[in-house]
Amino acid sequence: MPKQDHAGVRIPPPLCFFAFLVAGILLNSDWTEGRLANAYLTIIGGLIAIISLIYLIISALKHKAAGSNVEPWKPTTTIITDGVYKYSRNPIYVAMAVVYAGVAIAAGSWLALLFLPLCLLFIRYYVIAREEAYLEEKFGKEYLDYKARVRRWL
């Protein structure tokens, strides 16, 4: 059993995505110049963001249905292996990344898109690494078997 019953993540992952996205938009965006991106980018980016937000909500609701916490600073009570979790160990982070990309496209912010890989590196090494270590320690073979079957991202 882990010393602390949570992954030790102190910065909420949505805040990480938001910070990188806002930085990119503030430094380079049609929005900061007081106009919308061209209609094609606005529509495509908006659709990407909306569809991904729905996927994110479905993924998060799986935690509630399983009686577990979605927040990485709270205890995980079970390993979820069905639904979207059959295909990705981190569907919420995948969805956050795609929402981010959709908003960046809708904002006409190519710099925000360039910041996305940096954000994902931060999420991978600061958040996911802590979560995986915690889950391995807490659930042992059950989590290791799941980890061997299912990819981290997609």
Side-chain angles (χ1 to χ4, degrees):
M1 187 72 127
K3 295 177 189 111
Q4 58 185 19
D5 194 11
H6 57 81
V9 174
R10 302 282 184 236
I11 300 170
L15 183 60
C16 299
F17 281 98
F18 184 74
F20 278 90
L21 179 61
V22 168
I25 288 173
L26 287 176
L27 293 170
N28 162 252
S29 170
D30 290 333
W31 292 354
T32 57
E33 296 172 12
R35 64 181 195 279
L36 295 175
N38 75 46
Y40 179 75
L41 291 178
T42 301
I43 292 168
I44 294 298
L47 286 173
I48 290 169
I50 290 167
I51 291 166
S52 299
L53 189 58
I54 292 166
Y55 181 79
L56 189 154
I57 292 166
I58 290 167
S59 300
L61 288 174
K62 280 300 271 179
H63 285 265
K64 184 174 182 168
S68 193
N69 296 301
V70 70
E71 304 91 347
W73 55 88
K74 292 183 179 177
T76 299
T77 60
T78 188
I79 303 296
I80 303 167
T81 61
D82 62 337
V84 294
Y85 289 87
K86 282 193 287 191
Y87 309 104
S88 172
R89 296 193 314 261
N90 297 295
I92 294 173
Y93 298 141
V94 170
M96 284 183 197
V98 180
V99 168
Y100 175 119
V103 172
I105 291 167
S109 179
W110 305 113
L111 188 58
L113 284 174
L114 289 174
F115 284 175
L116 181 55
L118 298 173
C119 178
L120 292 174
L121 284 171
F122 182 85
I123 292 294
R124 164 62 184 93
Y125 290 102
Y126 174 75
V127 178
I128 293 173
R130 290 171 186 243
E131 289 177 342
E132 288 182 343
Y134 162 69
L135 294 171
E136 285 178 19
E137 188 176 342
K138 181 169 183 170
F139 294 100
K141 183 172 175 11
E142 178 186 1
Y143 182 71
L144 291 172
D145 289 347
Y146 172 66
K147 192 174 165 183
R149 284 191 323 271
V150 178
R151 291 178 171 196
R152 177 177 288 131
W153 296 102
L154 293 175

